Short mmCIF file of all heavy atoms in Angstrom, two decimals:
data_model
loop_
_atom_site.label_atom_id
_atom_site.label_comp_id
_atom_site.label_asym_id
_atom_site.label_seq_id
_atom_site.Cartn_x
_atom_site.Cartn_y
_atom_site.Cartn_z
N GLN A 253 7.01 -12.60 -3.70
CA GLN A 253 6.52 -12.99 -2.40
C GLN A 253 7.22 -12.23 -1.27
O GLN A 253 8.38 -12.14 -1.27
CB GLN A 253 6.74 -14.54 -2.18
CG GLN A 253 6.00 -15.40 -3.13
CD GLN A 253 6.14 -16.87 -2.79
OE1 GLN A 253 6.09 -17.23 -1.59
NE2 GLN A 253 6.33 -17.70 -3.79
N ILE A 254 6.37 -11.61 -0.40
CA ILE A 254 6.88 -10.88 0.74
C ILE A 254 6.31 -11.50 1.97
O ILE A 254 5.04 -11.63 2.10
CB ILE A 254 6.59 -9.40 0.66
CG1 ILE A 254 7.23 -8.76 -0.51
CG2 ILE A 254 7.03 -8.71 1.99
CD1 ILE A 254 7.02 -7.27 -0.66
N GLU A 255 7.15 -11.93 2.95
CA GLU A 255 6.65 -12.42 4.20
C GLU A 255 7.16 -11.47 5.30
O GLU A 255 8.36 -11.23 5.42
CB GLU A 255 7.27 -13.87 4.45
CG GLU A 255 6.86 -14.83 3.36
CD GLU A 255 7.52 -16.18 3.49
OE1 GLU A 255 8.10 -16.41 4.60
OE2 GLU A 255 7.50 -16.99 2.56
N VAL A 256 6.17 -11.03 6.15
CA VAL A 256 6.55 -10.04 7.15
C VAL A 256 6.49 -10.73 8.53
O VAL A 256 5.38 -11.20 8.89
CB VAL A 256 5.60 -8.79 7.10
CG1 VAL A 256 6.03 -7.78 8.17
CG2 VAL A 256 5.63 -8.16 5.74
N GLY A 257 7.61 -10.73 9.25
CA GLY A 257 7.67 -11.37 10.57
C GLY A 257 7.10 -10.39 11.62
O GLY A 257 6.72 -9.24 11.33
N LYS A 258 7.11 -10.87 12.90
CA LYS A 258 6.57 -10.06 13.96
C LYS A 258 7.25 -8.72 14.17
O LYS A 258 6.67 -7.74 14.58
CB LYS A 258 6.69 -10.84 15.25
CG LYS A 258 5.72 -12.06 15.31
CD LYS A 258 5.80 -12.80 16.68
CE LYS A 258 4.84 -13.94 16.72
NZ LYS A 258 4.90 -14.68 18.04
N LYS A 259 8.58 -8.68 13.85
CA LYS A 259 9.31 -7.45 13.95
C LYS A 259 9.48 -6.67 12.68
O LYS A 259 10.08 -5.63 12.64
CB LYS A 259 10.71 -7.75 14.58
CG LYS A 259 10.66 -8.30 15.99
CD LYS A 259 12.08 -8.53 16.55
CE LYS A 259 12.04 -9.09 17.98
NZ LYS A 259 13.39 -9.33 18.53
N GLY A 260 8.91 -7.19 11.61
CA GLY A 260 9.01 -6.56 10.35
C GLY A 260 8.09 -5.37 10.20
O GLY A 260 6.94 -5.44 10.61
N ARG A 261 8.62 -4.27 9.67
CA ARG A 261 7.85 -3.03 9.51
C ARG A 261 8.22 -2.33 8.21
O ARG A 261 9.43 -2.27 7.82
CB ARG A 261 8.10 -2.05 10.72
CG ARG A 261 7.58 -2.57 12.05
CD ARG A 261 6.06 -2.70 12.11
NE ARG A 261 5.61 -3.07 13.44
CZ ARG A 261 5.51 -4.32 13.91
NH1 ARG A 261 5.89 -5.31 13.08
NH2 ARG A 261 5.06 -4.55 15.09
N PHE A 262 7.28 -1.69 7.56
CA PHE A 262 7.48 -0.82 6.44
C PHE A 262 7.23 0.67 6.94
O PHE A 262 6.22 0.89 7.54
CB PHE A 262 6.59 -1.10 5.29
CG PHE A 262 6.76 -2.46 4.77
CD1 PHE A 262 5.72 -3.41 4.88
CD2 PHE A 262 7.91 -2.84 4.11
CE1 PHE A 262 5.82 -4.71 4.36
CE2 PHE A 262 8.03 -4.13 3.56
CZ PHE A 262 7.02 -5.09 3.72
N SER A 263 8.19 1.51 6.70
CA SER A 263 8.04 2.95 7.05
C SER A 263 8.43 3.77 5.87
O SER A 263 9.64 3.77 5.42
CB SER A 263 8.97 3.25 8.27
OG SER A 263 8.87 4.59 8.66
N GLU A 264 7.52 4.58 5.39
CA GLU A 264 7.74 5.40 4.18
C GLU A 264 8.22 4.58 3.02
O GLU A 264 9.10 4.99 2.24
CB GLU A 264 8.68 6.57 4.51
CG GLU A 264 8.17 7.54 5.52
CD GLU A 264 7.10 8.46 4.98
OE1 GLU A 264 6.55 8.18 3.89
OE2 GLU A 264 6.83 9.44 5.63
N ILE A 265 7.69 3.40 2.87
CA ILE A 265 8.01 2.49 1.74
C ILE A 265 6.82 2.54 0.79
O ILE A 265 5.70 2.33 1.20
CB ILE A 265 8.29 1.05 2.21
CG1 ILE A 265 9.61 0.95 2.97
CG2 ILE A 265 8.29 0.07 1.06
CD1 ILE A 265 10.83 1.16 2.12
N ALA A 266 7.12 2.80 -0.47
CA ALA A 266 6.13 2.75 -1.54
C ALA A 266 6.26 1.40 -2.28
O ALA A 266 7.35 0.81 -2.32
CB ALA A 266 6.31 3.88 -2.49
N PHE A 267 5.14 0.94 -2.88
CA PHE A 267 5.20 -0.34 -3.56
C PHE A 267 4.72 -0.15 -5.04
O PHE A 267 3.74 0.49 -5.30
CB PHE A 267 4.20 -1.35 -2.91
CG PHE A 267 4.68 -1.70 -1.52
CD1 PHE A 267 4.20 -0.99 -0.40
CD2 PHE A 267 5.56 -2.77 -1.34
CE1 PHE A 267 4.64 -1.33 0.86
CE2 PHE A 267 6.00 -3.09 -0.03
CZ PHE A 267 5.55 -2.37 1.05
N ASP A 268 5.53 -0.75 -5.92
CA ASP A 268 5.21 -0.73 -7.37
C ASP A 268 5.45 -2.07 -7.94
O ASP A 268 6.08 -2.92 -7.25
CB ASP A 268 6.00 0.42 -8.04
CG ASP A 268 5.42 0.86 -9.34
OD1 ASP A 268 4.35 0.30 -9.74
OD2 ASP A 268 5.98 1.77 -9.98
N GLY A 269 5.01 -2.31 -9.19
CA GLY A 269 5.19 -3.58 -9.82
C GLY A 269 4.12 -4.53 -9.39
O GLY A 269 2.94 -4.19 -9.40
N SER A 270 4.51 -5.79 -9.11
CA SER A 270 3.48 -6.76 -8.73
C SER A 270 4.03 -7.66 -7.62
O SER A 270 5.26 -7.85 -7.43
CB SER A 270 3.14 -7.63 -9.94
OG SER A 270 4.27 -8.38 -10.41
N PHE A 271 3.09 -8.17 -6.81
CA PHE A 271 3.46 -8.89 -5.62
C PHE A 271 2.54 -10.12 -5.50
O PHE A 271 1.56 -10.29 -6.13
CB PHE A 271 3.32 -8.06 -4.37
CG PHE A 271 4.23 -6.81 -4.46
CD1 PHE A 271 3.73 -5.61 -5.01
CD2 PHE A 271 5.50 -6.81 -3.98
CE1 PHE A 271 4.54 -4.50 -5.11
CE2 PHE A 271 6.31 -5.67 -4.11
CZ PHE A 271 5.84 -4.54 -4.65
N ASN A 272 3.03 -11.03 -4.56
CA ASN A 272 2.24 -12.24 -4.27
C ASN A 272 2.13 -12.36 -2.76
O ASN A 272 2.95 -13.03 -2.12
CB ASN A 272 2.90 -13.48 -4.91
CG ASN A 272 2.10 -14.74 -4.66
OD1 ASN A 272 1.05 -14.71 -4.02
ND2 ASN A 272 2.57 -15.84 -5.21
N VAL A 273 1.23 -11.61 -2.16
CA VAL A 273 1.12 -11.51 -0.74
C VAL A 273 -0.36 -11.67 -0.39
O VAL A 273 -1.15 -10.74 -0.48
CB VAL A 273 1.58 -10.13 -0.23
CG1 VAL A 273 1.65 -10.10 1.32
CG2 VAL A 273 3.03 -9.82 -0.75
N PRO A 274 -0.75 -12.90 0.03
CA PRO A 274 -2.18 -13.17 0.24
C PRO A 274 -2.79 -12.40 1.43
O PRO A 274 -3.93 -11.97 1.33
CB PRO A 274 -2.24 -14.64 0.55
CG PRO A 274 -0.97 -15.21 -0.08
CD PRO A 274 0.04 -14.13 0.13
N SER A 275 -2.01 -12.10 2.49
CA SER A 275 -2.56 -11.49 3.67
C SER A 275 -1.69 -10.28 4.06
O SER A 275 -0.45 -10.41 4.20
CB SER A 275 -2.62 -12.48 4.81
OG SER A 275 -3.15 -11.90 5.97
N ILE A 276 -2.32 -9.09 4.27
CA ILE A 276 -1.62 -7.87 4.53
C ILE A 276 -2.27 -7.24 5.76
O ILE A 276 -3.48 -7.19 5.87
CB ILE A 276 -1.67 -6.89 3.33
CG1 ILE A 276 -1.04 -7.57 2.15
CG2 ILE A 276 -0.98 -5.60 3.67
CD1 ILE A 276 -1.49 -6.95 0.82
N SER A 277 -1.49 -6.77 6.71
CA SER A 277 -2.00 -6.21 7.95
C SER A 277 -1.47 -4.80 8.21
O SER A 277 -0.25 -4.56 7.90
CB SER A 277 -1.67 -7.08 9.13
OG SER A 277 -2.01 -6.43 10.39
N TYR A 278 -2.30 -3.96 8.77
CA TYR A 278 -1.87 -2.60 9.17
C TYR A 278 -0.70 -2.65 10.12
O TYR A 278 0.11 -1.69 10.24
CB TYR A 278 -3.02 -1.86 9.83
CG TYR A 278 -3.41 -2.43 11.17
CD1 TYR A 278 -2.88 -1.94 12.35
CD2 TYR A 278 -4.39 -3.44 11.24
CE1 TYR A 278 -3.26 -2.50 13.58
CE2 TYR A 278 -4.73 -3.98 12.49
CZ TYR A 278 -4.17 -3.53 13.66
OH TYR A 278 -4.51 -4.04 14.87
N LYS A 279 -0.54 -3.77 10.87
CA LYS A 279 0.56 -3.87 11.81
C LYS A 279 1.92 -3.83 11.22
O LYS A 279 2.92 -3.56 11.95
CB LYS A 279 0.38 -5.14 12.61
CG LYS A 279 -0.87 -5.27 13.49
CD LYS A 279 -1.00 -6.57 14.21
CE LYS A 279 -2.30 -6.67 15.05
NZ LYS A 279 -2.38 -7.96 15.74
N SER A 280 1.97 -4.07 9.90
CA SER A 280 3.33 -4.06 9.20
C SER A 280 3.73 -2.68 8.73
O SER A 280 4.80 -2.55 8.17
CB SER A 280 3.23 -4.99 8.03
OG SER A 280 2.87 -6.31 8.39
N PHE A 281 2.91 -1.67 8.99
CA PHE A 281 3.21 -0.30 8.49
C PHE A 281 3.23 0.71 9.64
O PHE A 281 2.38 0.70 10.53
CB PHE A 281 2.07 0.07 7.47
CG PHE A 281 1.98 -0.80 6.28
CD1 PHE A 281 1.31 -2.03 6.37
CD2 PHE A 281 2.58 -0.43 5.10
CE1 PHE A 281 1.20 -2.82 5.23
CE2 PHE A 281 2.50 -1.24 3.96
CZ PHE A 281 1.80 -2.48 4.03
N GLU A 282 4.23 1.55 9.60
CA GLU A 282 4.31 2.62 10.62
C GLU A 282 5.17 3.75 10.10
O GLU A 282 5.96 3.65 9.15
CB GLU A 282 4.99 2.06 11.88
CG GLU A 282 6.41 1.65 11.74
CD GLU A 282 7.07 1.15 13.02
OE1 GLU A 282 6.33 0.64 13.91
OE2 GLU A 282 8.28 1.24 13.13
N GLY A 283 5.02 4.97 10.75
CA GLY A 283 5.92 6.08 10.51
C GLY A 283 5.77 6.74 9.17
O GLY A 283 6.71 7.32 8.64
N TYR A 284 4.57 6.64 8.56
CA TYR A 284 4.38 7.34 7.30
C TYR A 284 4.05 8.81 7.52
O TYR A 284 3.48 9.20 8.55
CB TYR A 284 3.22 6.69 6.48
CG TYR A 284 3.67 5.48 5.77
CD1 TYR A 284 3.89 4.28 6.46
CD2 TYR A 284 3.95 5.47 4.37
CE1 TYR A 284 4.34 3.14 5.80
CE2 TYR A 284 4.32 4.31 3.72
CZ TYR A 284 4.53 3.14 4.44
OH TYR A 284 5.01 2.03 3.78
N SER A 285 4.37 9.69 6.60
CA SER A 285 4.23 11.12 6.73
C SER A 285 2.80 11.59 6.81
O SER A 285 2.54 12.65 7.31
CB SER A 285 4.98 11.87 5.58
OG SER A 285 4.43 11.50 4.34
N SER A 286 1.86 10.77 6.19
CA SER A 286 0.46 11.09 6.23
C SER A 286 -0.31 9.85 6.10
O SER A 286 0.15 8.82 5.63
CB SER A 286 0.15 12.06 5.09
OG SER A 286 0.26 11.42 3.87
N ASP A 287 -1.61 9.92 6.53
CA ASP A 287 -2.48 8.79 6.35
C ASP A 287 -2.76 8.53 4.88
O ASP A 287 -2.95 7.38 4.47
CB ASP A 287 -3.81 9.01 7.08
CG ASP A 287 -3.70 8.92 8.58
OD1 ASP A 287 -2.69 8.38 9.09
OD2 ASP A 287 -4.68 9.32 9.30
N THR A 288 -2.72 9.58 4.09
CA THR A 288 -2.93 9.40 2.64
C THR A 288 -1.89 8.47 2.05
O THR A 288 -2.23 7.55 1.27
CB THR A 288 -2.88 10.75 1.92
OG1 THR A 288 -3.77 11.65 2.56
CG2 THR A 288 -3.25 10.62 0.41
N GLU A 289 -0.61 8.69 2.41
CA GLU A 289 0.44 7.84 1.89
C GLU A 289 0.55 6.48 2.59
O GLU A 289 0.92 5.50 1.93
CB GLU A 289 1.79 8.60 2.00
CG GLU A 289 1.83 9.86 1.13
CD GLU A 289 1.46 9.57 -0.32
OE1 GLU A 289 1.91 8.60 -0.92
OE2 GLU A 289 0.61 10.35 -0.86
N LEU A 290 0.11 6.45 3.84
CA LEU A 290 0.04 5.12 4.52
C LEU A 290 -0.98 4.28 3.83
O LEU A 290 -0.65 3.07 3.50
CB LEU A 290 -0.39 5.40 5.95
CG LEU A 290 -0.82 4.10 6.76
CD1 LEU A 290 0.34 3.14 6.85
CD2 LEU A 290 -1.34 4.52 8.11
N LEU A 291 -2.17 4.76 3.54
CA LEU A 291 -3.12 3.94 2.82
C LEU A 291 -2.70 3.61 1.37
O LEU A 291 -2.93 2.53 0.90
CB LEU A 291 -4.53 4.68 2.79
CG LEU A 291 -5.23 4.73 4.09
CD1 LEU A 291 -6.58 5.45 3.91
CD2 LEU A 291 -5.51 3.30 4.63
N ARG A 292 -1.98 4.59 0.74
CA ARG A 292 -1.55 4.30 -0.63
C ARG A 292 -0.61 3.08 -0.60
O ARG A 292 -0.69 2.23 -1.48
CB ARG A 292 -0.83 5.53 -1.22
CG ARG A 292 -0.51 5.34 -2.67
CD ARG A 292 0.29 6.53 -3.23
NE ARG A 292 -0.32 7.82 -2.94
CZ ARG A 292 -1.40 8.31 -3.57
NH1 ARG A 292 -1.93 7.61 -4.57
NH2 ARG A 292 -1.90 9.45 -3.23
N ALA A 293 0.31 3.01 0.39
CA ALA A 293 1.20 1.90 0.45
C ALA A 293 0.45 0.59 0.69
O ALA A 293 0.71 -0.41 0.04
CB ALA A 293 2.26 2.19 1.58
N MET A 294 -0.47 0.61 1.62
CA MET A 294 -1.25 -0.58 1.93
C MET A 294 -2.10 -0.99 0.76
O MET A 294 -2.17 -2.22 0.39
CB MET A 294 -2.09 -0.42 3.20
CG MET A 294 -1.25 -0.29 4.48
SD MET A 294 -2.20 -0.40 6.01
CE MET A 294 -3.07 1.16 6.03
N PHE A 295 -2.78 -0.05 0.15
CA PHE A 295 -3.63 -0.40 -1.03
C PHE A 295 -2.84 -0.82 -2.21
O PHE A 295 -3.22 -1.82 -2.89
CB PHE A 295 -4.48 0.87 -1.42
CG PHE A 295 -5.54 1.26 -0.43
CD1 PHE A 295 -5.97 2.53 -0.35
CD2 PHE A 295 -6.05 0.32 0.50
CE1 PHE A 295 -6.94 2.95 0.57
CE2 PHE A 295 -7.04 0.68 1.41
CZ PHE A 295 -7.49 2.03 1.40
N ASN A 296 -1.65 -0.22 -2.51
CA ASN A 296 -0.82 -0.71 -3.64
C ASN A 296 -0.39 -2.10 -3.39
O ASN A 296 -0.36 -2.93 -4.36
CB ASN A 296 0.34 0.25 -3.77
CG ASN A 296 -0.04 1.54 -4.51
OD1 ASN A 296 -1.16 1.69 -4.92
ND2 ASN A 296 0.91 2.44 -4.70
N LEU A 297 0.02 -2.44 -2.15
CA LEU A 297 0.53 -3.83 -1.96
C LEU A 297 -0.65 -4.79 -2.08
O LEU A 297 -0.50 -5.94 -2.50
CB LEU A 297 1.14 -3.92 -0.57
CG LEU A 297 1.81 -5.28 -0.17
CD1 LEU A 297 2.87 -5.61 -1.25
CD2 LEU A 297 2.40 -5.19 1.24
N THR A 298 -1.82 -4.35 -1.77
CA THR A 298 -3.07 -5.18 -1.88
C THR A 298 -3.53 -5.36 -3.34
O THR A 298 -3.74 -6.48 -3.77
CB THR A 298 -4.21 -4.60 -1.04
OG1 THR A 298 -3.80 -4.50 0.25
CG2 THR A 298 -5.45 -5.47 -1.19
N PHE A 299 -3.60 -4.28 -4.09
CA PHE A 299 -4.16 -4.31 -5.42
C PHE A 299 -3.17 -4.61 -6.56
O PHE A 299 -3.53 -5.05 -7.61
CB PHE A 299 -4.93 -3.04 -5.70
CG PHE A 299 -6.15 -2.87 -4.86
CD1 PHE A 299 -6.23 -1.87 -3.88
CD2 PHE A 299 -7.23 -3.72 -5.05
CE1 PHE A 299 -7.37 -1.75 -3.10
CE2 PHE A 299 -8.37 -3.59 -4.24
CZ PHE A 299 -8.43 -2.58 -3.30
N LYS A 300 -1.88 -4.34 -6.27
CA LYS A 300 -0.81 -4.70 -7.24
C LYS A 300 -0.33 -6.13 -6.86
O LYS A 300 0.87 -6.34 -6.60
CB LYS A 300 0.32 -3.68 -7.22
CG LYS A 300 -0.12 -2.29 -7.69
CD LYS A 300 1.03 -1.28 -7.47
CE LYS A 300 0.64 0.11 -7.86
NZ LYS A 300 0.72 0.41 -9.31
N ASN A 301 -1.22 -7.06 -6.92
CA ASN A 301 -1.00 -8.34 -6.24
C ASN A 301 -1.60 -9.46 -7.13
O ASN A 301 -2.78 -9.36 -7.49
CB ASN A 301 -1.65 -8.27 -4.88
CG ASN A 301 -1.10 -9.25 -3.89
OD1 ASN A 301 -0.80 -10.40 -4.18
ND2 ASN A 301 -0.85 -8.76 -2.66
N ILE A 302 -0.84 -10.49 -7.34
CA ILE A 302 -1.46 -11.59 -8.15
C ILE A 302 -2.20 -12.59 -7.28
O ILE A 302 -2.90 -13.41 -7.85
CB ILE A 302 -0.31 -12.35 -8.91
CG1 ILE A 302 0.63 -13.03 -7.94
CG2 ILE A 302 0.47 -11.40 -9.85
CD1 ILE A 302 1.67 -13.97 -8.63
#
Side-chain angles (χ1 to χ4, degrees):
Q253 293 186 44
I254 297 180
E255 301 174 14
V256 183
K258 291 183 179 180
K259 295 183 179 180
R261 295 293 185 273
F262 299 112
S263 179
E264 296 288 12
I265 290 291
F267 295 92
D268 202 358
S270 63
F271 301 89
N272 185 358
V273 187
S275 181
I276 301 157
S277 172
Y278 68 91
K279 295 179 181 179
S280 301
F281 298 79
E282 67 178 26
Y284 280 76
S285 60
S286 69
D287 287 348
T288 307
E289 295 310 312
L290 168 62
L291 286 180
R292 189 184 309 281
M294 291 193 289
F295 291 155
N296 281 357
L297 188 55
T298 302
F299 292 113
K300 295 174 182 277
N301 202 317
I302 65 172

